[in-house]
Protein backbone atom coordinates (compact mmCIF):
# COMPACT_ATOMS: atom_id res chain seq x y z
CA UNK A 1 0.00 0.00 0.00
CA UNK A 2 2.83 2.41 0.86
CA UNK A 3 4.41 1.73 -2.53
CA UNK A 4 1.20 2.46 -4.44
CA UNK A 5 0.48 5.57 -2.38
CA UNK A 6 4.04 6.93 -2.63
CA UNK A 7 4.21 10.46 -3.96
CA UNK A 8 7.98 10.68 -4.46
CA UNK A 9 10.70 8.41 -5.75
CA UNK A 10 12.32 8.52 -2.34
CA UNK A 11 9.10 7.31 -0.64
CA UNK A 12 8.75 4.62 -3.32
CA UNK A 13 12.31 3.34 -2.67
CA UNK A 14 11.66 3.23 1.07
CA UNK A 15 8.37 1.34 0.47
CA UNK A 16 10.15 -1.12 -1.85
CA UNK A 17 12.82 -1.91 0.77
CA UNK A 18 10.16 -2.30 3.48
CA UNK A 19 8.14 -4.61 1.23
CA UNK A 20 11.12 -6.87 0.52
CA UNK A 21 12.15 -6.85 4.20
CA UNK A 22 8.57 -7.60 5.28
CA UNK A 23 8.33 -10.50 2.83
CA UNK A 24 11.66 -11.95 4.02
CA UNK A 25 10.56 -11.47 7.64
CA UNK A 26 7.40 -13.52 6.93
CA UNK A 27 9.54 -16.18 5.25
CA UNK A 28 11.87 -16.31 8.26
CA UNK A 29 8.98 -16.45 10.75
CA UNK A 30 7.25 -19.23 8.83
CA UNK A 31 10.50 -21.14 8.49
CA UNK A 32 11.17 -20.86 12.24
CA UNK A 33 7.86 -22.61 12.97
CA UNK A 34 9.24 -25.75 11.27
CA UNK A 35 5.84 -26.97 10.08
CA UNK A 36 7.59 -29.15 7.51
CA UNK A 37 9.17 -31.16 10.35
CA UNK A 38 5.84 -32.19 11.91
CA UNK A 39 4.96 -34.70 9.22
CA UNK A 40 7.59 -36.86 7.58
CA UNK A 41 6.18 -36.47 4.06
CA UNK A 42 6.21 -32.64 4.08
CA UNK A 43 9.20 -31.19 2.28
CA UNK A 44 7.98 -27.61 1.99
CA UNK A 45 5.50 -25.20 3.50
CA UNK A 46 3.56 -22.86 1.24
CA UNK A 47 3.50 -19.15 1.99
CA UNK A 48 0.49 -17.61 0.29
CA UNK A 49 0.83 -13.97 -0.76
CA UNK A 50 -2.83 -13.03 -1.36
CA UNK A 51 -2.10 -9.84 -3.29
CA UNK A 52 -0.83 -10.68 -6.79
CA UNK A 53 0.73 -7.23 -7.43
CA UNK A 54 2.55 -7.42 -4.06
CA UNK A 55 3.86 -10.88 -4.99
CA UNK A 56 5.05 -9.69 -8.40
CA UNK A 57 6.62 -6.55 -6.95
CA UNK A 58 8.60 -8.57 -4.39
CA UNK A 59 9.89 -10.82 -7.19
CA UNK A 60 10.85 -7.82 -9.33
CA UNK A 61 12.56 -5.96 -6.50
CA UNK A 62 14.59 -8.95 -5.29
CA UNK A 63 15.07 -11.70 -7.87
CA UNK A 64 16.67 -13.94 -5.22
CA UNK A 65 13.69 -13.85 -2.85
CA UNK A 66 12.11 -17.00 -4.29
CA UNK A 67 15.42 -18.87 -3.90
CA UNK A 68 15.80 -17.40 -0.40
CA UNK A 69 12.43 -18.86 0.57
CA UNK A 70 13.13 -22.17 -1.19
CA UNK A 71 16.37 -22.70 0.76
CA UNK A 72 14.29 -22.26 3.93
CA UNK A 73 11.86 -24.91 2.62
CA UNK A 74 9.17 -22.30 1.92
CA UNK A 75 7.32 -22.08 -1.41
CA UNK A 76 6.00 -18.64 -2.29
CA UNK A 77 2.49 -18.92 -3.74
CA UNK A 78 0.37 -16.22 -5.35
CA UNK A 79 -3.32 -16.22 -6.32
CA UNK A 80 -2.30 -17.08 -9.88
CA UNK A 81 -0.52 -20.29 -8.94
CA UNK A 82 -2.45 -21.26 -5.79
CA UNK A 83 -4.96 -23.64 -7.38
CA UNK A 84 -2.33 -25.31 -9.56
CA UNK A 85 -0.03 -25.71 -6.55
CA UNK A 86 -2.81 -27.19 -4.42
CA UNK A 87 -3.73 -29.63 -7.19
CA UNK A 88 -0.10 -30.71 -7.45
CA UNK A 89 0.05 -31.24 -3.68
CA UNK A 90 -3.22 -33.21 -3.73
CA UNK A 91 -1.86 -35.37 -6.55
CA UNK A 92 1.42 -35.94 -4.69
CA UNK A 93 -0.43 -36.94 -1.52
CA UNK A 94 -2.61 -39.30 -3.55
CA UNK A 95 0.49 -40.91 -5.06
CA UNK A 96 2.09 -41.13 -1.61
CA UNK A 97 -1.01 -42.90 -0.31
CA UNK A 98 -1.01 -45.28 -3.29
CA UNK A 99 2.68 -45.93 -2.82
CA UNK A 100 2.12 -46.81 0.83
CA UNK A 101 -0.73 -49.12 -0.21
CA UNK A 102 1.49 -50.77 -2.81
CA UNK A 103 4.17 -51.41 -0.18
CA UNK A 104 1.57 -52.85 2.19
CA UNK A 105 0.15 -55.04 -0.58
CA UNK A 106 3.65 -56.32 -1.40
CA UNK A 107 4.29 -57.04 2.29
CA UNK A 108 0.99 -58.87 2.68
CA UNK A 109 1.64 -60.73 -0.58
CA UNK A 110 4.96 -62.00 0.79
CA UNK A 111 3.28 -63.12 4.02
CA UNK A 112 0.50 -64.83 2.04
CA UNK A 113 3.05 -66.57 -0.20
CA UNK A 114 5.01 -67.85 2.82
CA UNK A 115 1.81 -69.11 4.48
CA UNK A 116 0.75 -70.79 1.24
CA UNK A 117 4.15 -72.49 0.86
CA UNK A 118 3.84 -73.78 4.44
CA UNK A 119 0.31 -75.03 3.74
CA UNK A 120 1.47 -76.89 0.60
CA UNK A 121 4.28 -78.56 2.63
CA UNK A 122 1.80 -79.64 5.30
CA UNK A 123 -0.67 -80.91 2.69
CA UNK A 124 2.08 -82.97 1.04
CA UNK A 125 2.91 -84.42 4.46
CA UNK A 126 -0.78 -85.31 4.93
CA UNK A 127 -0.70 -87.04 1.54
CA UNK A 128 2.38 -89.07 2.55
CA UNK A 129 0.67 -90.05 5.80
CA UNK A 130 -2.48 -91.09 3.89
CA UNK A 131 -0.30 -93.24 1.59
CA UNK A 132 1.43 -94.85 4.60
CA UNK A 133 -1.93 -95.38 6.28
CA UNK A 134 -3.34 -96.94 3.09
CA UNK A 135 -0.36 -99.31 2.82
CA UNK A 136 -0.70 -100.27 6.51
CA UNK A 137 -4.43 -100.85 6.01
CA UNK A 138 -3.81 -103.04 2.96
CA UNK A 139 -1.15 -105.05 4.83
CA UNK A 140 -3.44 -105.55 7.84
CA UNK A 141 -6.41 -106.49 5.66
CA UNK A 142 -4.21 -108.90 3.70
CA UNK A 143 -3.28 -110.61 6.98
CA UNK A 144 -6.96 -110.80 7.80
CA UNK A 145 -8.24 -112.36 4.58
CA UNK A 146 -5.36 -113.71 2.38
CA UNK A 147 -3.08 -116.73 2.56
CA UNK A 148 -3.30 -120.08 4.33
CA UNK A 149 -4.46 -119.71 7.88
CA UNK A 150 -5.79 -116.19 7.48
CA UNK A 151 -7.91 -114.92 10.31
CA UNK A 152 -11.20 -114.90 8.40
CA UNK A 153 -10.72 -118.52 7.29
CA UNK A 154 -9.79 -119.49 10.87
CA UNK A 155 -12.98 -117.85 12.19
CA UNK A 156 -15.12 -119.58 9.51
CA UNK A 157 -13.57 -122.92 10.44
CA UNK A 158 -14.57 -122.34 14.06
CA UNK A 159 -18.14 -121.71 12.91
CA UNK A 160 -18.07 -124.89 10.84
CA UNK A 161 -17.02 -126.77 14.00
CA UNK A 162 -20.16 -125.54 15.71
CA UNK A 163 -19.38 -122.20 17.35
CA UNK A 164 -22.68 -120.40 17.83
CA UNK A 165 -22.19 -116.80 16.57
CA UNK A 166 -24.89 -114.17 16.47
CA UNK A 167 -23.38 -112.26 13.55
CA UNK A 168 -22.05 -113.09 10.13
CA UNK A 169 -18.71 -111.87 8.80
CA UNK A 170 -19.13 -109.32 6.00
CA UNK A 171 -17.98 -110.16 2.48
CA UNK A 172 -14.27 -109.15 2.20
CA UNK A 173 -13.65 -109.96 -1.47
CA UNK A 174 -13.23 -106.28 -2.50
Amino acid sequence: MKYVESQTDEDRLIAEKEHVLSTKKHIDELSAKCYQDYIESLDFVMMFVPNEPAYILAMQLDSSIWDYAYRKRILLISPTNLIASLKVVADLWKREYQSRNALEIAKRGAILYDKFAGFVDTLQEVGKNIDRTQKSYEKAFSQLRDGNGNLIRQAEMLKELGVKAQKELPNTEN
Side-chain angles (χ1 to χ4, degrees):
M1 294 299 295
K2 284 183 183 179
Y3 177 81
V4 173
E5 294 172 355
S6 296
Q7 299 291 324
T8 67
D9 287 341
E10 186 180 323
D11 288 344
R12 193 170 289 121
L13 284 173
I14 292 170
E16 288 175 351
K17 286 180 183 178
E18 287 177 356
H19 180 56
V20 170
L21 289 174
S22 175
T23 303
K24 284 187 174 183
K25 181 181 175 203
H26 280 39
I27 291 168
D28 293 338
E29 288 171 353
L30 189 57
S31 177
K33 292 181 181 183
C34 298
Y35 289 128
Q36 62 273 28
D37 296 335
Y38 289 129
I39 299 174
E40 189 176 305
S41 64
L42 290 181
D43 293 329
F44 292 91
V45 171
M46 292 182 179
M47 181 176 135
F48 180 61
V49 180
N51 185 314
E52 188 77 26
Y55 174 85
I56 292 170
L57 181 62
M59 295 297 157
Q60 288 173 342
L61 295 173
D62 185 349
S63 61
S64 68
I65 199 164
W66 202 93
D67 188 53
Y68 176 80
Y70 187 84
R71 280 185 276 120
K72 292 183 173 269
R73 298 171 62 194
I74 306 293
L75 296 178
L76 296 178
I77 305 296
S78 72
T80 301
N81 59 20
L82 176 65
I83 298 300
S85 298
L86 293 176
K87 286 190 179 268
V88 167
V89 168
D91 187 54
L92 289 173
W93 282 357
K94 184 178 175 182
R95 289 173 194 254
E96 170 77 14
Y97 179 74
Q98 289 172 339
S99 177
R100 285 183 186 168
N101 281 348
L103 293 173
E104 185 64 24
I105 288 168
K107 180 181 168 186
R108 292 201 181 276
I111 291 169
L112 177 65
Y113 185 90
D114 291 345
K115 287 285 187 186
F116 188 67
F119 175 76
V120 169
D121 284 343
T122 303
L123 197 57
Q124 287 176 331
E125 194 64 34
V126 168
K128 289 175 188 173
N129 287 335
I130 289 173
D131 287 345
R132 280 196 293 269
T133 301
Q134 181 67 33
K135 288 177 184 170
S136 295
Y137 167 79
E138 289 170 0
K139 182 178 178 183
F141 210 80
S142 176
Q143 292 172 341
L144 186 67
R145 101 177 154 212
D146 297 334
N148 293 336
N150 69 64
L151 292 173
I152 292 176
R153 180 66 191 128
Q154 293 295 325
E156 290 295 334
M157 290 171 69
L158 281 174
K159 191 173 177 187
E160 289 171 6
L161 291 174
V163 171
K164 302 284 185 206
Q166 293 181 2
K167 293 184 178 181
E168 292 288 323
L169 286 173
N171 183 5
T172 60
E173 297 297 318
N174 293 339

